[in-house]
Amino acid sequence: MSEGIQFAARTTVEQVEEGNELAPKFDQDGLIPVVTTDYTSGELLMHAYMNEEALKKTIELGEAVYWSRSRQVLWHKGATSGLVQKVKALLIDDDQDTIWLRVDVMGGGASCHVGYRSCFYRRVPVGEETKEKGLSLEFTETEKVFDPKDVYGDAPNPTKL
């Protein structure tokens, strides 16, 4: 079915900014950034990317599908872990080059492959704080929602050094 979804060509600034046609702008690598938040709380869960196929599949399924830059494959969020992100709202910014997904997370509510609810589980000191703490990260989440070894087993970690 996603083969039937067609995005509009980007023809004018007015069409992109004020029109009702979906005309996403993918970058030179064919990707568009996505920020994902919890639908109810507004909590920032993750940042990822979609290619054209991932965006079409997300629209078709009503579930988040991303492009994994580390694995170079489509990534249906939750297909392995059960932590599927049900899309409640898909928004696109003014110049249609960034997507915001508002989701309900199934299966325990975590979105981070490390096991935390949010991928943003550490805070960086800023301003005067850096004089005391340097750049030592502060954990904002102290308990994992799941154990990644139990969920992913021997699958390769997507974090690249």
Side-chain angles (χ1 to χ4, degrees):
M1 180 171 161
S2 59
E3 296 84 26
I5 295 173
Q6 296 297 316
F7 300 134
R10 297 169 63 87
T11 56
T12 68
V13 170
E14 182 180 14
Q15 171 238 9
V16 169
E17 293 182 344
E18 300 286 344
N20 63 1
E21 295 177 313
L22 181 56
K25 183 176 183 182
F26 297 92
D27 69 14
Q28 67 277 5
D29 296 320
L31 303 175
I32 190 168
V34 182
V35 291
T36 304
T37 62
D38 182 272
Y39 181 72
T40 304
S41 71
E43 176 185 16
L44 178 60
L45 298 174
M46 59 182 284
H47 168 271
Y49 292 89
M50 290 181 179
N51 62 9
E52 184 173 341
E53 184 180 3
L55 179 54
K56 288 178 177 181
K57 289 232 178 256
T58 297
I59 292 167
E60 175 188 342
L61 298 173
E63 296 179 353
V65 178
Y66 302 103
W67 175 255
S68 172
R69 294 179 304 156
S70 60
R71 292 176 281 149
Q72 295 289 295
V73 295
L74 281 181
W75 163 34
H76 186 171
K77 184 69 174 161
T80 301
S81 65
L83 304 170
V84 173
Q85 294 177 341
K86 297 279 188 183
V87 177
K88 304 299 276 183
L90 189 158
L91 296 96
I92 195 154
D93 74 334
D94 52 358
D95 57 352
Q96 297 198 40
D97 68 354
T98 303
I99 291 172
W100 174 16
L101 293 183
R102 297 180 61 208
V103 302
D104 279 339
V105 182
M106 307 294 103
S111 288
C112 179
H113 77 275
V114 177
Y116 295 102
R117 177 168 166 70
S118 168
C119 293
F120 295 90
Y121 55 88
R122 295 172 292 181
R123 189 175 74 78
V124 178
V126 295
E128 291 295 316
E129 250 185 322
T130 60
K131 291 177 182 166
E132 297 171 22
K133 298 180 178 179
L135 291 179
S136 180
L137 301 176
E138 176 188 332
F139 280 75
T140 59
E141 292 186 44
T142 55
E143 291 187 31
K144 293 187 177 187
V145 176
F146 67 90
D147 181 344
K149 286 185 171 97
D150 292 344
V151 172
Y152 301 114
D154 293 333
N157 189 313
T159 300
K160 300 296 179 206
L161 299 180

